[in-house]
Amino acid sequence: MSTLKEFKAARGRMVAEKYNADLIVATLPENIFYYSGFFPMGMSHLYSTEGFLVYNPYTEKSAIVTSVSDVPTVLEQSYVDEIYGVGGFNFYMPLLGKDAFTDKLDRAIKTRYPSAVDAAIAACKSLAPDARTIILDESRIMVGNWKRFTDGMPGVNFIPGVEPFKEIRYIKHEEEIELLRRSANITEEAFFEAVKMIKPGVSEYDIAMAFNREVSARGAEPYFFVVTCDERAAYSDTCYLESQIVKPGSVLRFDMGCIYKHYRSDIARTVVVGRNEKAENAYAATLAGEAAAIAAIKPGITAGEVFEIAESVTQKNGLPHYKRHHTGHGIGMATYDAPSIVPGSTVPLEEGMTLCIETPYYEIGWGGVQVEDTIVVRKDGAEYLTKSSRELIFVEG
């Protein structure tokens, strides 16, 4: 089996050849990380901050464009070939001439660029002086800077890179699959610890804080947690409230995930406090739809066919009015990776794709239920990465 780095190189080469591109330029932090090993923390929290990763898929050479303040971390964690520092950030370096790392840092920041775009243009010219077509990820570049970039390289054809990067990350290496498995399992473990506190009198907020503590205790980062109780369970991706209190007969819909070593999880479960016949019937229908969709997954089936199975089976099992715009999505370093499980999609599923399959039901004025699991497409069908029971969960009321 190829190494992860070899696998990523092959994915990049394949997509570059498809688009006849000479260079691939990333701006999304996850895409930068994919080809550098460096995750730009500043970019992930300050959305006006820009940086670039320039990658030549034929030579496998790469260059990072980032604030000078990030360069020590780049030197520590990244495997890029060139560093282009931006801005006037300063380090005091009393060990200069006496310490190898200090000397390396000093050399890396000797040349500074006034803007990330200026640096990225220089990096492109260094890695592919005769480039004629460049894939440029538009995820995190302002419109004015896109124009500055393209104006600064006359004669070069620029292709928007969001879709090409989705194609690069479409299929996961086994190392990535194991990280996704662990991310999903941490979410499950944290959730079932939080379930232990569910009883009449606790709030959505109390449950959410318990989940976040459990995620952190397992070495992952809390990312999102939707806990909706009773009529709020019909609200899709919403906040949790201190004022929404669990009661006997309450229905709680959970949609949640964490980040483990840059890889995300997204699963859903439903809890009933005591008994609730309507919720039990609705959940049975959605579980049947999810199970049928996952059972049908194999290489070659289209995303649209999986959608039709999920929706139609849910309808036939007690929710004839059930209607969805999607019943799943890819997952990786982004919660919504390609492909999307949407009606009419002709995208064939391939071995190595990792997907979340879901069949949520939202009824305004009453509430909602949801089940969602993560799977990987194998040559003989789907393998679950989630490991917990998918049955409706009952707690004493």
Side-chain angles (χ1 to χ4, degrees), residues 27-48:
T27 64
L28 189 71
E30 289 78 8
N31 291 338
I32 290 172
F33 175 81
Y34 194 81
Y35 279 122
S36 71
F38 166 68
F39 191 87
M41 188 67 67
M43 288 183 67
S44 67
H45 295 288
L46 302 172
Y47 294 115
S48 61

Side-chain angles (χ1 to χ4, degrees), residues 240-285:
Y240 37 79
L241 299 179
E242 290 184 86
S243 59
Q244 189 74 16
I245 304 299
V246 173
K247 303 181 294 293
S250 282
V251 179
L252 293 93
R253 184 184 61 80
F254 293 85
D255 190 4
M256 55 209 158
C258 69
I259 304 174
Y260 179 71
K261 296 185 178 179
H262 303 291
Y263 285 81
R264 302 182 187 238
S265 50
D266 180 12
I267 72 170
R269 295 290 185 263
T270 302
V271 173
V272 170
V273 182
R275 299 303 296 264
N276 186 306
E277 184 177 358
K278 182 171 181 175
E280 293 169 40
N281 292 336
Y283 190 83

Side-chain angles (χ1 to χ4, degrees), residues 2-19 21 24 34-35 55-58 60 135 163-174 176 263 337-339 347-348 350-354:
S2 63
T3 66
L4 179 57
K5 190 174 181 180
E6 290 168 343
F7 176 84
K8 290 178 177 180
R11 299 294 302 171
R13 227 171 9 255
M14 180 192 71
V15 169
E17 289 170 356
K18 175 181 175 179
Y19 290 92
I24 299 171
Y34 194 81
Y35 279 122
Y55 181 68
N56 186 319
Y58 305 105
E60 299 179 25
I135 294 171
E163 292 306 316
F165 265 102
K166 285 182 180 179
E167 293 176 47
I168 288 171
R169 289 166 41 194
Y170 231 38
I171 309 297
K172 306 300 191 293
H173 187 272
E174 286 299 322
E176 296 179 284
Y263 285 81
D337 257 0
V347 174
E350 298 178 49
E351 187 176 354
M353 283 184 174
T354 47

Side-chain angles (χ1 to χ4, degrees), residues 183 187 211 215 221-225 255-259 265-267:
S183 184
T187 296
F211 172 83
V215 165
E221 301 173 52
Y223 172 55
F224 82 99
F225 185 73
D255 190 4
M256 55 209 158
C258 69
I259 304 174
S265 50
D266 180 12
I267 72 170

Side-chain angles (χ1 to χ4, degrees), residues 251 253 268-270 278-294 309-324 327 357-363 366-373 384 390-392:
V251 179
R253 184 184 61 80
R269 295 290 185 263
T270 302
K278 182 171 181 175
E280 293 169 40
N281 292 336
Y283 190 83
T286 61
L287 180 57
E290 187 220 35
I294 292 173
I309 292 167
E311 186 178 69
S312 64
V313 171
T314 302
Q315 291 168 345
K316 291 172 183 176
N317 279 270
L319 291 175
H321 53 283
Y322 184 76
K323 189 71 175 174
R324 282 291 291 166
T327 57
I357 303 299
E358 58 181 315
T359 46
Y361 174 63
Y362 312 109
E363 183 179 317
W366 170 69
V369 297
Q370 186 172 1
V371 59
E372 180 177 10
D373 285 276
Y384 282 89
R390 293 148 53 231
E391 297 299 323
L392 186 61

Side-chain angles (χ1 to χ4, degrees), residues 47 54 73 80 82-83 107 145 195 216 261 278 319 327 367:
Y47 294 115
V54 181
T73 309
V80 293
E82 299 178 8
I83 299 172
R107 289 192 298 273
N145 282 342
V195 165
S216 297
K261 296 185 178 179
K278 182 171 181 175
L319 291 175
T327 57

Side-chain angles (χ1 to χ4, degrees), residues 71-341:
V71 173
T73 309
V74 173
L75 292 172
E76 177 186 62
Q77 299 179 2
S78 179
Y79 46 80
V80 293
D81 299 287
E82 299 178 8
I83 299 172
Y84 291 75
V86 179
F89 190 93
N90 286 298
F91 296 101
Y92 173 53
M93 295 187 282
L95 297 179
L96 191 61
K98 305 173 185 177
D99 173 74
F101 183 84
T102 303
D103 293 348
K104 190 175 182 180
L105 172 61
D106 182 60
R107 289 192 298 273
I109 63 176
K110 280 287 188 195
T111 301
R112 300 180 180 221
Y113 292 82
S115 77
V117 172
D118 292 325
I121 291 171
C124 288
K125 291 178 178 178
S126 172
L127 293 189
D130 300 318
R132 289 292 172 261
T133 300
I134 296 176
I135 294 171
L136 175 56
D137 174 16
E138 74 270 32
S139 300
R140 289 288 302 277
I141 183 170
M142 291 182 284
V143 173
N145 282 342
W146 175 282
K147 187 175 187 306
R148 283 190 58 218
F149 204 135
T150 55
D151 286 352
M153 299 192 73
V156 175
N157 174 39
F158 282 85
I159 299 172
V162 166
E163 292 306 316
F165 265 102
K166 285 182 180 179
E167 293 176 47
I168 288 171
R169 289 166 41 194
Y170 231 38
I171 309 297
K172 306 300 191 293
H173 187 272
E174 286 299 322
E175 288 185 28
E176 296 179 284
I177 291 168
E178 288 309 307
L179 292 172
L180 287 164
R181 189 193 307 276
R182 183 60 187 142
S183 184
N185 295 164
I186 287 172
T187 296
E188 294 173 292
E189 293 166 12
F191 166 67
F192 279 99
E193 286 299 316
V195 165
K196 294 177 182 177
M197 70 174 295
I198 298 176
K199 62 182 179 180
V202 304
S203 71
E204 292 175 346
Y205 179 86
D206 296 331
I207 299 165
M209 293 302 100
F211 172 83
N212 289 339
R213 287 193 298 270
E214 294 294 337
V215 165
S216 297
R218 287 163 173 77
E221 301 173 52
Y223 172 55
F224 82 99
F225 185 73
V226 175
V227 50
T228 49
C229 181
D230 295 332
E231 70 279 359
R232 295 192 79 247
Y235 303 175
S236 177
D237 295 327
T238 190
C239 58
Y240 37 79
L241 299 179
E242 290 184 86
S243 59
Q244 189 74 16
I245 304 299
V246 173
K247 303 181 294 293
S250 282
V251 179
L252 293 93
R253 184 184 61 80
F254 293 85
D255 190 4
M256 55 209 158
C258 69
I259 304 174
Y260 179 71
K261 296 185 178 179
H262 303 291
Y263 285 81
R264 302 182 187 238
S265 50
D266 180 12
I267 72 170
R269 295 290 185 263
T270 302
V271 173
V272 170
V273 182
R275 299 303 296 264
N276 186 306
E277 184 177 358
K278 182 171 181 175
E280 293 169 40
N281 292 336
Y283 190 83
T286 61
L287 180 57
E290 187 220 35
I294 292 173
I297 287 174
K298 59 183 179 181
I301 192 171
T302 68
E305 288 170 332
V306 175
F307 173 88
E308 292 300 329
I309 292 167
E311 186 178 69
S312 64
V313 171
T314 302
Q315 291 168 345
K316 291 172 183 176
N317 279 270
L319 291 175
H321 53 283
Y322 184 76
K323 189 71 175 174
R324 282 291 291 166
H325 61 295
H326 79 76
T327 57
H329 51 85
I331 191 164
M333 286 190 290
T335 306
Y336 272 60
D337 257 0
S340 293
I341 310 301

